[in-house]
């Protein structure tokens, strides 16, 4: 399958996804009966993001392929190494696990701490890039930094969402 076909299929996927996000945003309450302006409605930002995603998908569908349309050298370079594929799948798995399993079922601070800590430890201790020598890894230091960053991210995002954006987190 050439890059041209992959671009078209990806563009179609993102156009449909953006359209679905926009439809979901339009179904959210508008609170006009309470005097809320358009930009204050809960679906405003997701709607804008859905439109942007759909527009990027349309651009991907209709853009000319150019000389790189049949060349896979970029993807072979990016995804050619086994460790790179493992790192990409680990990032996808950790992110989906956080979003689909932890978020909403576990208190926000615990879920976010676990996600950030696991993410850092996975990529700094387990799935180490090939160009980083294993002998130079200071495990206690990485664990301390991972713990500190996970705590900082958990509490900072909770503060920003609940205090500044007035969004209650689970």
């Amino acid at each position: 399958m050439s890059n041209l076909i992959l671009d078209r299929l990806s563009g179609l996927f993102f156009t449909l996804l953006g359209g679905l996000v926009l439809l979901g945003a339009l179904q959210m309450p508008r609170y006009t009966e309470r005097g809320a302006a358009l930009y204050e409605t809960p679906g405003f930002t997701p709607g804008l993001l859905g439109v942007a995603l759909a527009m990027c998908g349309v651009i991907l569908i209709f853009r000319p392929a150019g000389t790189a349309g049949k060349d896979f050298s970029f993807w072979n370079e990016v995804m050619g190494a086994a460790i790179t594929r493992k790192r990409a799948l680990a990032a996808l798995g950790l992110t989906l696990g956080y979003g689909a399993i932890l978020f909403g079922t576990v208190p926000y601070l615990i879920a976010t701490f676990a996600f950030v800590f696991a993410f850092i430890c996975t990529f700094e201790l387990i799935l180490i890039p090939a160009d980083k020598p294993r002998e130079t890894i200071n495990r206690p230091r990485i664990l301390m930094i991972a713990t500190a960053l996970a705590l900082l991210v958990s509490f900072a995002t909770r503060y920003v969402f609940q205090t500044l954006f007035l969004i209650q987190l689970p």
Side-chain angles (χ1 to χ4, degrees):
M1 189 177 299
S2 74
N3 278 353
L4 181 64
I5 295 172
L6 289 174
D7 280 355
R8 302 303 185 254
L9 291 175
S10 298
L12 180 64
F13 171 77
F14 286 115
T15 302
L16 292 174
L17 181 63
L20 290 173
V21 169
L22 178 61
L23 285 176
L26 290 173
Q27 293 176 359
M28 294 180 82
R30 290 186 177 77
Y31 300 119
T32 53
E33 68 278 358
R34 294 184 185 167
L38 174 68
Y39 62 88
E40 295 174 328
T41 61
F44 183 71
T45 301
L48 288 178
L49 293 173
V51 168
L53 190 59
M55 286 174 42
C56 289
V58 169
I59 290 170
L60 195 55
I61 291 171
F62 293 111
R63 76 181 179 119
T67 58
K70 295 181 179 139
D71 182 21
F72 281 99
S73 62
F74 172 76
W75 289 111
N76 289 337
E77 183 179 323
V78 171
M79 298 302 285
I83 189 68
T84 306
R85 287 191 299 273
K86 287 178 185 175
R87 289 171 65 87
L89 288 174
L92 179 65
L94 286 167
T95 305
L96 288 176
Y98 173 69
I101 298 169
L102 291 178
F103 196 79
T105 59
V106 177
Y108 177 79
L109 289 174
I110 295 169
T112 304
F113 175 86
F115 169 70
V116 173
F117 184 81
F119 204 92
I120 293 170
C121 289
T122 298
F123 291 102
E124 292 294 325
L125 298 174
I126 300 168
L127 297 174
I128 304 164
D131 60 345
K132 185 176 184 181
R134 287 186 175 271
E135 303 82 41
T136 63
I137 296 172
N138 185 347
R139 292 186 193 287
R141 182 175 183 268
I142 290 172
L143 290 172
M144 283 184 1
I145 290 172
T147 303
L149 283 174
L151 284 170
L152 178 70
V153 168
S154 299
F155 283 101
T157 55
R158 180 174 172 232
Y159 172 79
V160 166
F161 276 95
Q162 289 189 333
T163 306
L164 301 179
F165 296 146
L166 303 175
I167 296 173
Q168 293 300 314
L169 298 170

